[in-house]
Amino acid sequence: IFVFCHTREMVVQTSKEFHRLSKYLPDLVITDVFGGMSQKKNIAELKNGCDILIGTPQRIADLFNAKAINVREVKYFVV
């Protein structure tokens, strides 16, 4: 699942809610990405696997351009 948020604050809030709602799904991996974070750290997190990716459009585009994201695996896309 890709979730696009307009601002980093919205990414953080959305991520907190996903973590709260998924507390009974311990195997669910939620990753949040936005500008101001290390892109190398984001890439390393994504290589470990990710079920839900929450981020700003620009950072997700940067990770896509760096070939760290495979959009063919996306089943749901939320804006």
Side-chain angles (χ1 to χ4, degrees), residues 6-38:
H6 296 288
T7 64
R8 74 176 69 183
E9 291 82 11
M10 188 179 283
V11 170
V12 171
Q13 290 173 356
T14 304
S15 180
K16 282 182 184 178
E17 285 302 308
F18 268 94
H19 282 286
R20 186 180 68 77
L21 294 170
S22 66
K23 67 182 177 182
Y24 299 110
L25 301 170
D27 296 333
L28 190 69
V29 179
I30 301 168
T31 304
D32 53 317
V33 297
F34 49 85
M37 298 176 73
S38 167

Side-chain angles (χ1 to χ4, degrees), residues 4 12 15 21-23 37 39 43 46-47 55 68-69 71:
F4 277 20
V12 171
S15 180
L21 294 170
S22 66
K23 67 182 177 182
M37 298 176 73
Q39 188 170 343
I43 292 171
L46 291 171
K47 284 184 180 179
I69 297 173
V71 294

Side-chain angles (χ1 to χ4, degrees), residues 2 39 42-44 46-47 53 59-73:
F2 273 15
Q39 188 170 343
N42 293 154
I43 292 171
L46 291 171
K47 284 184 180 179
L53 178 63
R59 179 49 60 108
I60 291 177
D62 292 342
L63 293 169
F64 174 77
N65 290 332
K67 303 210 184 319
I69 297 173
N70 182 357
V71 294
R72 292 176 191 234
E73 297 176 6

